[in-house]
């Protein structure tokens, strides 16, 4: 046996995964997921969460990642460099790289809430870290990330010295990993509720323990500013903010010179916090806003029946398509609300419409809006396109990381 063969034999005794013939291309293209169906066998007796080397069918080393047999995504890849060891230094380096990419935001006095770590897209599969002022909110979405929870908490404390770290791993995707939901304070002080954050100079109350997602829709920050710039050219506008959550788009609209905002959401607690947000920013929720608790699909029909018109309508619905099988139904839902919204915009007014369904591409979404415009018999000009804010980067080798898209439309 030659030296190289002895080396290869030793490596095969370490925890490893061998791919089926012809299944190595995505790994070579640095896609961070290995699906169970691509694997020929698992060797070296790794436990779930352990590091494994990934070899092609011919025995060539391709990458290293961590394993979870309970997930269809059985290996999440971490490095494609044969000489890189995944140890504490590795994780510290990855976190530092993610923080470095947010330097401009960290230096921006007008904003103190943003995503610091965006999972796979930051080379840290299964890990989300959001900054809310002096607090951090974390999500551990995979077994590999959850098992390293103590290490991440230690590194985050060491690198960022937050007042506290709060876990919000109470999300459905954990069930695909065989993990139960988990939430609560992991270190430091409990956050106040609401915790007041600053975004583009405006104040928003966030409940880290109870709020949706990790508390706030940070991915919409730049889109809110974008829409506000468009509304600034329309002083005195009356705005309908559908799927308003805690009214962030509405606060931006009033700050940009709108006269009145109607916040519409099915969540009553979100509307209560929306009123607090208006007050905190110097607006009068009785004079300059109204909050409507209801179902957007129904309320838009009611408003259309009343012949009401708005200068601008915002549609920022939750994810409609959670699987490929739901895409058709999702497009019908998008078409329905966009048709109704177009009918409620006065000629020359604006529609800002979003989709956060990753499975609905920007191209498909635009086709849906086109269909809605035809049915509404309105001319629609696209005057802007929305995507994630810069703190939600998309890794080129991981297009699945892209989910948010939107169109700013002028409606005639
Ligand atoms: N635009 C918000 C985020 C919206 S998230 C922001 O900038 O912060 C989606 C919101 O839609 C959630 O607040 C949820 O409560 C609400 N929602 C979901 N389905 C709804 C429905 N059918 N009608 C009204 N609101 C709904």
């Amino acid at each position: 046996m030659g030296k190289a063969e002895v080396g290869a034999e030793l490596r095969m005794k370490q925890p490893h995964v061998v791919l089926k013939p012809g299944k190595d291309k995505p790994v070579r293209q640095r896609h961070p997921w290995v699906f169970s169906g691509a694997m020929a066998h698992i060797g070296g007796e790794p436990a779930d969460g352990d590091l494994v080397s990934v070899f092609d069918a011919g025995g060539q080393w391709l990458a290293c990642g961590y394993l979870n047999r309970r997930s269809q995504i059985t290996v999440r890849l971490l490095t494609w460099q044969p000489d890189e060891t995944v140890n504490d230094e590795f994780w510290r380096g990855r976190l530092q790289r993610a923080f470095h990419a947010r330097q401009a935001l960290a230096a921006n006095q007008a904003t103190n809430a943003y995503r610091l770590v965006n999972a796979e897209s930051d080379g840290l599969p299964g890990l989300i870290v959001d900054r809310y002022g002096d607090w951090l909110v974390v999500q551990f979405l995979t077994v590999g990330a959850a098992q390293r929870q103590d290490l991440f908490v230690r590194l985050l404390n060491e690198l960022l010295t937050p007042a506290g770290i709060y876990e919000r791993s109470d999300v459905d995707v954990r069930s695909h990993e065989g993990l139960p939901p988990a939430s609560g304070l992991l270190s430091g002080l409990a956050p106040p509720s609401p915790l007041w954050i600053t975004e583009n100079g405006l104040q928003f109350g966030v409940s880290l323990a109870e709020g949706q997602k990790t508390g706030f829709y940070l991915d919409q920050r730049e889109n809110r500013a974008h829409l506000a710039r468009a509304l600034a050219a329309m002083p005195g506008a009356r705005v309908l903010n559908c799927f308003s959550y805690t009214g962030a788009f509405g606060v931006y609209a009033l700050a940009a010179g709108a006269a009145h905002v109607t916040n519409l959401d099915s969540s009553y607690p979100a509307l209560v916090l929306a009123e607090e947000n208006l007050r905190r920013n110097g607006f009068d929720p009785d004079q300059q806003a109204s909050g409507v608790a209801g179902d957007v699909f129904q309320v838009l029909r009611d408003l259309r029946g009343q012949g009401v018109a708005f200068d601008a309508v915002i549609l920022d619905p939750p994810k409609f398509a959670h699987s490929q099988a739901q895409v058709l139904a999702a497009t019908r839902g998008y078409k329905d609300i966009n048709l109704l919204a177009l009918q409620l915009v006065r000629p020359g007014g604006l529609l800002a419409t979003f989709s956060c369904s990753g499975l609905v591409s920007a191209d498909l979404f635009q086709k849906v809006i086109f269909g809605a415009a035809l049915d509404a018999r309105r001319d629609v000009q696209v005057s802007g396109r929305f995507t994630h804010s810069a703190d939600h980067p998309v890794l080129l080798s991981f297009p699945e990381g892209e989910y948010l898209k939107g169109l700013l439309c002028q409606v005639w």
Side-chain angles (χ1 to χ4, degrees):
M1 207 184 271
K3 232 180 175 180
E5 285 166 68
V6 174
E9 184 144 305
L10 277 177
R11 276 194 309 189
M12 281 304 193
K13 288 204 173 115
Q14 304 296 314
H16 67 272
V17 160
V18 180
L19 300 180
K20 290 179 183 163
K23 294 290 187 187
D24 52 318
K25 191 171 170 195
V27 177
R28 290 187 195 280
Q29 292 185 337
R30 294 190 172 222
H31 194 283
W33 293 347
V34 180
F35 288 93
S36 59
M39 293 169 26
H41 77 265
I42 300 172
E45 298 177 8
D48 285 340
D50 282 357
L51 295 173
V52 288
S53 288
V54 176
F55 294 89
D56 72 8
Q60 189 188 359
W61 188 94
L62 298 176
C64 174
Y66 57 66
L67 181 77
N68 180 10
R69 289 178 186 79
R70 297 186 66 175
S71 173
Q72 295 244 43
I73 304 169
T74 311
V75 184
R76 309 254 174 178
L77 297 173
L78 300 165
T79 178
W80 288 258
Q81 311 288 353
D83 55 351
E84 191 166 45
T85 310
V86 179
N87 54 19
D88 289 12
E89 279 316 300
F90 169 89
W91 296 111
R92 181 185 283 111
R94 283 287 160 95
L95 288 171
Q96 281 172 321
R97 190 168 101 179
F99 303 159
H100 183 80
R102 277 82 174 171
Q103 265 183 337
L105 270 169
N108 180 350
Q109 298 295 314
T111 294
N112 69 2
Y114 46 88
R115 179 147 293 186
L116 277 166
V117 175
N118 194 28
E120 271 79 346
S121 293
D122 277 305
L124 288 159
L127 180 67
I128 298 287
V129 182
D130 288 340
R131 176 186 171 198
Y132 288 98
D134 291 338
W135 272 264
L136 298 178
V137 178
V138 291
Q139 289 180 326
F140 305 108
L141 304 175
T142 59
V143 164
Q147 282 190 0
R148 292 165 178 82
Q149 173 176 320
D150 292 347
L151 171 66
F152 286 129
V153 168
R154 180 164 60 75
L155 290 172
L156 290 170
N157 274 321
E158 181 188 313
L159 295 168
L160 300 169
T161 56
I165 301 180
Y166 201 91
E167 179 178 19
R168 284 298 305 275
S169 305
D170 46 338
V171 280
D172 291 344
V173 287
R174 295 245 306 188
S175 64
H176 302 311
E177 290 273 318
L179 289 167
S183 61
L185 188 66
L186 296 181
S187 91
L189 304 172
S193 187
L195 168 68
W196 290 95
I197 57 144
T198 309
E199 183 184 273
N200 288 317
L202 299 167
Q203 312 279 309
F204 296 98
V206 181
S207 166
L208 300 188
E210 308 279 332
Q212 297 182 19
K213 284 191 102 168
T214 61
F216 199 64
Y217 289 83
L218 300 169
D219 51 358
Q220 288 283 28
R221 183 182 53 258
E222 286 164 21
N223 300 332
R224 290 194 266 261
H226 184 167
L227 179 62
R229 285 193 295 277
L231 286 172
M234 244 187 215
R238 300 184 74 79
V239 178
L240 176 61
N241 183 16
C242 304
F243 307 99
S244 60
Y245 186 46
T246 54
F249 274 105
V251 170
Y252 275 74
L254 291 176
H260 189 272
V261 172
T262 303
N263 287 319
L264 167 53
D265 201 281
S266 53
S267 162
Y268 186 73
L271 290 169
V272 171
L273 191 46
E275 282 202 8
E276 275 190 63
N277 285 334
L278 288 163
R279 261 186 228 105
R280 181 83 172 201
N281 289 283
F283 303 114
D284 180 348
D286 298 321
Q287 300 293 321
Q288 294 170 283
S290 43
V292 178
D295 175 15
V296 167
F297 289 82
Q298 188 54 50
V299 175
L300 292 189
R301 280 191 168 74
D302 296 346
L303 289 170
R304 183 181 59 180
Q306 293 161 20
V308 188
F310 294 89
D311 299 295
V313 176
I314 301 156
L315 286 180
D316 183 21
K319 192 168 165 176
F320 283 171
H322 297 268
S323 68
Q324 198 59 45
Q326 294 176 349
V327 169
L328 185 62
T331 57
R332 291 205 186 104
Y334 287 124
K335 177 152 178 210
D336 192 18
I337 51 173
N338 279 280
L339 170 57
L340 290 162
L342 286 168
Q343 291 169 325
L344 290 172
V345 179
R346 59 112 172 130
L350 295 177
L351 169 68
T353 181
F354 297 91
S355 161
C356 61
S357 302
L359 293 164
V360 175
S361 67
D363 188 42
L364 176 57
F365 186 60
Q366 182 164 327
K367 287 195 175 99
V368 171
I369 309 307
F370 170 63
L374 283 182
D375 286 6
R377 298 169 179 273
R378 305 292 294 268
D379 287 326
V380 174
Q381 296 170 305
V382 174
S383 53
R385 287 176 195 277
F386 301 113
T387 182
H388 322 82
S389 300
D391 51 334
H392 293 62
V394 179
L395 197 62
L396 278 181
S397 56
F398 183 59
E400 291 86 344
E402 195 166 344
Y403 62 94
L404 183 62
K405 75 279 310 175
L407 297 172
L408 179 59
C409 300
Q410 187 137 34
V411 183
W412 296 98

